[in-house]
Amino acid sequence: MRSAFTEETAERRVESTPLSHVSIELGHLYMEDYAKGFEHIRAQFRLVAPWVETVRSSVGGKARVSTCFLIDDYFSQFGSPDAVVPMVIAAAGETGLTIDYLAREAGCARSGEVDVARLVLDRIVADPAPGTNGARPPLVKSGWLCNGRRGPEAGGFEAMGAEAQWHPPVQNAARRHSIFVDVELWDEPDGARVWSCPYLASVWQLMRLGLLRDHGKPVVRPVPAAETLPSDWETLPSLVQLNPKAQPFSAYRTASVLPSRFLPVELAVRTILSQVAVDPEVLHQVAGRAHGERLQLADELVDRVSYVFL
Amino acid sequence: MLIMGEVHTGLLRNLGELSETECREVLRLTSGEEPRTWQRPLLYAISPDVLTGVDCRLPSSSGARIRGTGTVSHRATIVGGRVLQGSSYTTLLRSDSDQRLPWSHYLAAPGVVEVYGRPRWQDMADGFVTPEPPMDVLNVGAISGRLMGAVQDSARLDRKTPFKTTRTRLRWLFERDDARGDGRPAMRLTLGRDTMRTLRFTGEPTTDVVAFCEDLALHDWLLTTLQTLIQRALIGTAAPAQIAARLSPAIDHLLHLWMPGARVEEPFLPFWEELERHPGFTRQWTSSVARIRDQITVNTLSLLSVTESRREADGDPSPRRGVPQDRTQSHSHPVRRRIFFRADQRSRRRS
């Protein structure tokens, strides 16, 4: 006789999300850009537009492509959604771009009940410096993440009063010479934690790659845009679907068309992403789907993230 | 290819037994990730796997300097709401690269440490089970120990233990069947002089390797703890009431946890069967349990005889409710009665 016995509390249920082939980010603006008004924003989108076409054509005409735009409402809030969002949509539209999904940066810190930033923080496995053998807890400097071994503290003194000898910081995976990167993940100026821009941008990449789950459920789901937009940012859903015919928000890989001024931020993003261990079940799921579609999917997360810097 | 790990087993620092909900709270080590629990055949809770990055020298019996980079998986389990296990493990594989690669490469294959150069697996395996490896080699035991500490520090626990126990460590090493062909036994379990046990075994690698090692570590700890309780009870020397008091934690907290192989999948059951044949884990357990129950029975009978003798002294001939009269009478020897009474008084004062 064959018998089966299972317990629900013993099972892990990980929901899968719909996936496009590629998710294209249509640039990014700082607060001062919005302050400069419609003309300036349209000029920014005009720079982005031809490269979006290049990315589209590089993946083939039949590929599922979705576009997205991230509005920074975390570090400073300006205007109101009912004023800013239509302006952004119109500026993009005049350059031939359609924004399928609009996201709020604050949603990368917290989305509804989900502490998304914390979720990712708990999945960081710090890049170990040579000599790390597990005997001691990982060397972490609270709020910072680096890709190697830091140099000694400035102004540090060794025993007997001798001034500490300077040692250069070293990158763990250096190709002969180091490019040492040390990223601030957060600070707490008034006791409340403020996540850094690169940290939230890393969360943003993970969302676009469809790799984040909270208790097995996707952390954000696109909400169709309401007929009228709210007047305050908090009321706007973390992820709004502006185009009803859009392909899925998350994708096997991401492409971001960004001004070159974001290059340092994205280097920091890659430093963080290189140290995030995504739920193996989710990775497995996505890899299985890619295989089913006969797609080549990079094993390493950072290799699923690409850029066009303007 | 080698899989190596170390399981630490100890009593959870909490006076009461944890419920399923409490086990979940204590084992919630990663946000957004729920521990898994089982109610059958006994309460069992397991935390999500967590990773630790390592880049260090690997064990070697010849003292060769072999280096590896990758991650060690670790997880905590609570058995019966009472016993805590900290388990860490990693798979050693040969690296395709001669130099350290970007960290994202290693995170793409969690729980694997890549070995540079041409690995000598036997040398590494022998080095891993050495009682005191050099300070700078991979130390999975420290990771298990830290995990135990992190769980024991949970605010949900009252940090009191119902009785004293010792933490045991099982360092284990699993080799693929074809890695050796020297006719040596497929499994070798060694009880060290202290609390360290080592296990070397071979088979086809599956994820259940870890579950088998945790199951073995649990039952070895149960046996070790039961033996210690029996030794401390000073059977044959101390008074029956004292002996019973010292043995009662076994009845309250341990005896129901004995279920060897309950969480082990088919391919590893023959290993348990072998251990049952020699040295005979359950054989020793059953005999110890019988010994404990006999001691408790002796004490119960002696208490009954004390009650009887008191009643006789008070001139009350009626038997107490629920006490079989013939039994109490058969144990009312005057000398023993006096001794038991004193012991009874002593134990009361102590409590």
Side-chain angles (χ1 to χ4, degrees), chain A residues 23-31 33-34 40-42 44-45 48 52 66-73 78 84-92 97-105 108 204 208 233 236-242 249 255-259 261-262:
Chain A
S23 150
I24 307 179
E25 184 177 12
L26 307 174
H28 190 64
L29 300 172
Y30 279 137
M31 185 184 69
D33 295 309
Y34 293 102
H40 177 76
I41 296 174
R42 188 178 56 187
Q44 295 299 310
F45 280 120
V48 168
V52 173
S66 68
T67 61
C68 57
F69 189 77
L70 182 70
I71 285 196
D72 174 14
D73 66 329
F78 48 90
V84 174
V85 175
M87 179 171 76
V88 170
I89 296 170
L97 292 174
T98 305
I99 302 175
D100 292 334
Y101 298 93
L102 185 111
R104 294 196 294 119
E105 196 156 351
C108 297
W204 170 235
R208 289 168 66 200
W233 291 102
L236 189 74
S238 303
L239 182 63
V240 184
Q241 180 171 352
L242 300 174
F249 165 72
S256 302
V257 185
L258 297 169
R261 60 182 172 166
F262 289 105

Side-chain angles (χ1 to χ4, degrees), chain A residues 118-172:
Chain A
R118 179 84 218 181
L119 207 84
V120 174
L121 190 69
D122 278 0
R123 295 214 157 268
I124 287 181
V125 180
D127 187 341
T132 308
N133 70 339
R136 294 201 185 94
L139 261 182
V140 284
K141 194 175 165 75
S142 183
W144 287 80
L145 190 68
C146 70
N147 66 349
R149 199 198 314 254
R150 297 180 176 94
E153 299 275 335
F157 286 87
E158 282 181 350
M160 309 298 287
E163 194 167 346
Q165 205 184 352
W166 185 79
H167 301 288
V170 184
Q171 182 188 1
N172 289 336

Side-chain angles (χ1 to χ4, degrees), chain A residues 7 12 123 127 131 215 300, chain B residues 32-33 39 55 100 104 137:
Chain A
E7 297 186 46
R12 279 197 74 210
R123 295 214 157 268
D127 187 341
H215 295 98
E300 298 174 38
Chain B
E33 193 71 55
Q39 301 273 12
D55 178 345
R100 165 88 187 248
S104 51
V137 305

